Amino acid sequence: WMSQSCGVVAFHGPMVAVEFAGELGGGVSGHFWDALTGKRSLWRIKGTGVLRCGDFPARGMVAGGCLSVLVTTLGTPYEIDTAGKIVFLEDVAERPYRLERMLTHLSMAGKLEDVAGVVTGSFNECETGAERDVVDVLADVFRNAPYPVVTGLPCGHATANTLLPIGIQAELDGRSGELRLVEPATESAS
């Protein structure tokens, strides 16, 4: 809401009560501080899978976050605007059938129609041994998407919770499975 209403860049990433209470590992710490201090202005984040390539790399503002939180904003003044955006989705400890229900709700609300692309982060603790897992659900929901859909960015409720700026321009390449941030999230302090 802050990004779309006030033009403020928000950051989806390590949480004070979780990651900072312990230790940031896997290069996440350096990435975090470099992004916030302006040392890292442009970067690439590689996903682990591609569900849809799209005809060309998609370009748009990054929007999104935790799927269960986004769905609860529908119909409120804080509802996410996804038109022309690269929508980032992730969640934790949700069963696949619940993820499918939330994604279907987003779709029925028109929030997956006019997007530039979709990229998912981790869906940690969402595998429950059910007949259909998260990958099956995502494949079903996005099977006819005309835009790129890349999965498995190391962002979200996971051990490697890479900082992802929300509210800046990015490019999503379905062929390489890569999200490229094409503008800095902060200005250098120097």
Side-chain angles (χ1 to χ4, degrees), residues 21 24 27-28 37 74 119 136 146:
L24 291 174
V28 173
T37 60
L74 295 176
V119 61
D136 295 329

Side-chain angles (χ1 to χ4, degrees), residues 102-117:
M102 289 184 273
L103 288 165
T104 300
H105 189 173
L106 275 181
S107 180
M108 292 174 72
K111 298 299 179 179
L112 299 178
E113 286 178 15
D114 296 325
V115 303

Side-chain angles (χ1 to χ4, degrees), residues 128-169:
T128 61
E131 288 181 29
R132 298 178 65 225
D133 63 13
V134 175
V135 175
D136 295 329
V137 168
L138 293 171
D140 282 350
V141 169
F142 294 107
R143 74 178 164 274
N144 295 319
Y147 45 79
V149 179
V150 175
T151 61
L153 255 63
C155 304
H157 291 83
T159 305
N161 190 357
T162 303
L163 187 73
L164 180 65
I166 304 291
I168 66 169
Q169 289 290 320

